């Protein structure tokens, strides 16, 4: 047989595309060509495949071999096609049963000794294969636990090219090899699991604001001097969030796999990302030329993105978050492809009030000129702040608060998470006939259409703020969303005038 076919998966962002791998052996000058828009790493597959096959006792034909990856216009990258290319070539030469090869999706990078290396992005690739109707995939043994997270699909885990040929029915004697070891990490191992809200002394107002933010999925801005507890508050937000639902869990785990972190279990807890202020725009949202990689905002999907010392980030870097905060998706455009990533996360900004950090502090004197303070805070643009629902000033605790904390035990993470879970359940029940599940996702048009659910005259304070120009229309809608969350946390059926007033206070709490 001169032609054999199998299939692989190409990932553009986190979106999987089925790729037909065809191998043709024909008369002509000996050679090995890979066509179909491969990148440099994939173009070198012919060298890896030839060496791996020879060292596995299954030499690739010395005749003219052409491997086509279709659709040809789809960008393809990395070494994940090595196994598919090798099996198609061996099937074309008659060394491996072509029927078995043709009915299997192959994923994996080959080492020169014939062993299969762990490959990033196996989970989203297997999900793509299952959604395309494929029922069998072959993956490296190191990625077996990751691939088996996808139900209703047969997973063949192999350690070497020779073992793969035997699995397809070749009459070969097995040769034991040492599998490629990988330090698979538990998906739920994170530092935030040991952080408890009870560790925070004082700042009851900030803790309540954190509870409201967790209950509704709202973005948060904390402003205060050094040592006020802004970072402690932000680090404890993921612990207040409920476990991820199944779809979000699969998506978060797929992102982790795509980023190159092998996993052995689904991510069930919301992720937490805190990039340094020297991060570039590409590091925040993702980027790359040949291969588009996810950034910190993508890795924080369904969790928390914390930007500490926010004014120290370049304004251009902060502003790339404006569109994802509205749409919940991150789209990265390149000349040859457009990659789409999930971008639904909670943004937490923390900032000092000025470069020296002492402006407004009762126990220290600020040395910054007024113009310096204005320039410092202006690095966080108005359009970005307009998308942040809760803006709160955080103050250092006093000696009296510290002594009082020694006898009074604060709320624990478990206690507050129970309140958050109950509030989210109330919102989900109210929104059961809509595509949204948290108040932060609800569009303003739906809120205004269902304004009859509010008490008459309860929105008067928002109406006046809008008329004075103190609120934008976006701010008006976001204040309504926040008021619904405050009502859910309080166990009320609908927001009252008091809840709406509290929402407006939280939104304008730092005078922004």
């Amino acid at each position: 047989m001169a032609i054999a076919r199998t299939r692989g998966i190409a990932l553009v962002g986190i979106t999987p595309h089925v790729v037909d791998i065809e191998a043709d052996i024909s008369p002509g000058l000996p050679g090995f060509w890979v066509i179909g828009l491969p990148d440099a790493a994939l173009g070198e597959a012919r060298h890896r495949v030839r060496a791996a096959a020879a060292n596995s006792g299954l030499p690739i034909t010395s005749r003219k071999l052409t491997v086509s990856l279709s659709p040809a216009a789809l960008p393809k990258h990395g070494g994940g096609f090595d196994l598919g290319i090798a099996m198609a070539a061996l099937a074309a030469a008659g060394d491996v049963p072509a029927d078995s090869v043709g009915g299997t999706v192959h994923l994996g990078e080959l080492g020169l000794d014939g062993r299969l290396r762990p490959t990033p992005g196996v989970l989203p690739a297997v999900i793509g294969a299952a959604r395309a109707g494929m029922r069998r995939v072959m993956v490296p043994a190191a990625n077996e636990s990751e691939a088996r997270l996808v139900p209703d699909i047969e997973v063949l885990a192999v350690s070497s090219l020779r073992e793969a040929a035997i699995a397809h029915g070749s009459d070969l004697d097995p040769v034991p090899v040492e599998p490629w070891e990988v330090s698979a990490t538990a998906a739920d191992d994170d530092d935030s699991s040991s952080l408890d809200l009870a560790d925070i002394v004082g700042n009851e107002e900030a803790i309540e604001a954190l509870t409201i933010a967790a209950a509704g999925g709202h973005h948060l801005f904390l402003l205060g001097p050094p040592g006020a507890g802004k970072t402690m508050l932000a680090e404890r937000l993921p612990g207040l969030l409920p476990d991820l639902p199944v779809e979000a869990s699969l998506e978060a785990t797929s992102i982790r796999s795509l980023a190159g972190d092998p996993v052995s279990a689904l991510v069930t807890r919301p992720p937490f990302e805190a990039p340094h202020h020297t991060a570039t725009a590409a590091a925040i949202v993702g980027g790359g030329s040949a291969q588009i990689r996810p950034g910190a905002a993508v890795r924080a999907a369904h969790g928390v993105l914390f930007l500490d010392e926010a004014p120290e980030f370049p304004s251009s870097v902060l502003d790339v978050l404006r569109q994802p905060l509205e749409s919940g998706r991150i789209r990265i455009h390149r000349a040859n492809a457009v990659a789409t990533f999930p971008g639904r996360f909670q943004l937490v900004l923390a900032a000092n009030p000025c470069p020296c950090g002492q402006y407004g502090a009762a126990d220290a004197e600020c040395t910054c000129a007024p113009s310096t303070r204005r320039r410092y805070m202006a690095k966080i643009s108005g359009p970005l702040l307009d998308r942040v629902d809760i803006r709160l000033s955080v103050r250092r605790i006093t000696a009296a608060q510290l002594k009082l904390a020694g006898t009074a035990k604060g709320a624990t993470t478990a206690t507050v998470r129970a309140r958050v879970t109950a509030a989210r359940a109330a919102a989900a029940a109210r929104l059961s006939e809509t595509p949204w599940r948290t108040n932060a996702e609800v569009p303003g048009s739906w809120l205004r259409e269902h304004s009859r659910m509010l008490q008459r005259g309860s929105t008067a304070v928002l109406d006046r703020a809008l008329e004075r120009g103190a609120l934008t229309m976006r701010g008006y809608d976001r204040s309504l969303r926040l008021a619904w969350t405050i009502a859910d946390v309080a166990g009320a059926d609908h927001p009252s005038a008091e809840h709406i007033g509290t929402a407006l206070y939280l939104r304008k709490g730092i005078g922004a």
Side-chain angles (χ1 to χ4, degrees), residues 133-211:
M134 312 300 171
R135 288 292 169 260
R136 185 169 62 176
V137 297
M138 181 175 284
V139 300
N143 295 115
E144 179 179 7
S145 57
E146 185 177 338
R148 292 193 184 280
L149 295 175
V150 183
D152 301 326
I153 192 166
E154 181 186 357
V155 176
L156 301 175
V158 295
S159 300
S160 66
L161 182 61
R162 188 180 184 90
E163 187 177 337
I166 294 173
H168 280 302
S170 293
D171 187 15
L172 298 170
D173 294 328
V175 176
V177 297
E178 183 179 353
W180 208 286
E181 294 185 0
V182 60
S183 56
T185 56
D188 290 326
D189 286 350
D190 60 77
D191 296 335
S192 63
S193 59
S194 60
L195 303 177
D196 199 286
L197 203 61
D199 298 336
I200 298 175
V201 178
N203 283 328
E204 287 80 7
E205 183 182 13
I207 291 175
E208 186 63 20
L210 201 68
T211 303

Side-chain angles (χ1 to χ4, degrees), residues 365-426:
E365 182 179 355
C366 175
T367 59
C368 303
S371 59
T372 302
R373 293 196 297 268
R374 286 194 297 270
R375 283 196 303 269
Y376 186 72
M377 294 307 300
K379 292 182 179 180
I380 305 176
S381 67
L384 178 61
L385 270 182
D386 200 34
R387 291 163 167 83
V388 178
D389 300 338
I390 301 175
R391 312 171 193 175
L392 193 68
S393 293
V394 184
R395 295 176 176 82
R396 296 188 183 118
I397 66 166
T398 63
Q401 289 174 313
L402 183 60
K403 291 179 180 178
L404 184 62
T407 58
K409 184 68 174 178
T412 65
T413 292
T415 302
V416 175
R417 189 195 294 178
R419 292 178 62 199
V420 169
T421 302
R424 288 207 173 197

